[in-house]
Structures are given as C-alpha cells and as structure tokens.
Amino acid sequence: VSAFYLDQFEVTKALWDDVKTYAGANGYTFGNAGSGQGAFHPVHTVNWFDAVKWCNARSEKEGLTPVYYTDAGFTTVFKTGEGTAPFANWAAKGFRLPTEAEWEKAARGTLVGKTYPWGDTIGDGDANYFGSGDPFDIGGTKTTPVGFYDGGQVPVGTNRANGYGLYDMAGNVFEWCWDWYDGSYYDSSPPADPRGGTSASGARVLRGGSWIVSTVGLRCADRSSGDPVNEDVVIGFRSARGL
C-alpha cells in the first residue's frame, strides 16, 4: 500500500459542521445533516455519499483538488445527489475516504499480525465498545470524544494511539471506506493499492467496529459493510489524502 495521509481522529461534529457550512454556500447538498453527542465527539448518521461529498467540500475549502467527480473525465465535481457512484481521480491530492487496504494498514500502526491496533489484548480502558463501561455510555448515542483513550481519561488508562499516532481505530464509530464490499476480493485482488470489488454486493466497506459491538468486531482484520445510502448512529468516518 502506497504512503498516504489519514486523519489522526475520526471527523468530529464540529469539523463536519464547519465544512458543511462552507459546502452549503458552494453548491453542495447533503441527504443527512449529521449528528453528534457533542462538538468533539465523532459525527455520525451520515451516509457514504455524504461523506464523499464532504471530503470534496473540505478539499475545496482548503484549496486542494477534489477527488470525486460525476464523470470519468473529471470535469464536474461531485457535489449533489446520491445513488450513482462518483468517479475517483486517484492522482488528485484532496481529501477522500481511505481504501479498505489503506484503512487496515493505518489501523495496524506498523504492527504485524496483531489483533488490535496496539497489540493482542483489549480491556475496558482501551476503547469504546459494547460492555466496556465507558463513562460516556449513556443516552442514545454512546460515543466518546475523539482521542478520549489517550491516557488522560478517568479512570486513568494507557495511551491507545497506535504506532502511527492514530486514535479510535478500534471502537467508537464504524468508519466508511471507499471500496465496494466483496467477501472474496482479497483472494485475487491486485498486489499493490487494491481499491475494492465491483458493485455486485451493493454495499460499501465499514471498518473499525463501534460502541455497539463486542471486542471481536474491533479486530484490525474485522470486515463489515453497509448500504451507501443508509445512515446510522454507529457510523462515522475519517478522511485520507494522497501524498
């Protein structure tokens, strides 16, 4: 997997709102307003199409070339609608969703063959998952603030940034990836920079687990998927960039 940038944290509600305000004034439309338990909790209830459009808007807001377009010639930036998959200009350096392969490389944080982003064991002080006893485990959306498991939480826990300095690669909210989901894709995928299967499944990849799943769903290797037009309180995302 070629080198790339990835957000250190899941996209927060505050960052989502900031970019969405810019997007609304620049021709973008979204099917979901986006929700969050607090400004520094991860945004959730955003579908795959809205995450893609948000990445384009963030690119334009920061003066970068957008990645997603309505046409194969990359002439019209993808700003509205959902249901028809956009074309990705992989040479562009703007914000985008990570591929599934990128996401897993990032989650492993330089470790090889380990179960979780920091090693082979997991406990209540490591991540936000079902039954973890998280202090924010109240209300309808039981997310923690992004980066909460950084050694400063109460009760005190160990630093759970991984080897790349990334937080919440296990638990909190599922994260959208670019790829169409294909259960057997990696049996015959390209050896370098695989970008997912065909649209046969009708689902896009979700990775990382969430506050609603057990520790088995937080493994670096665990694969999930979702309908790209659906949103859910357990789904958010983080954005990537090419070098």
Side-chain angles (χ1 to χ4, degrees), residues 31 92 202 229:
V229 300

Side-chain angles (χ1 to χ4, degrees), residues 115-133:
T115 306
Y116 302 105
W118 49 80
D120 285 325
T121 61
I122 188 170
D124 294 352
D126 297 329
N128 182 13
Y129 56 89
F130 183 77
S132 66

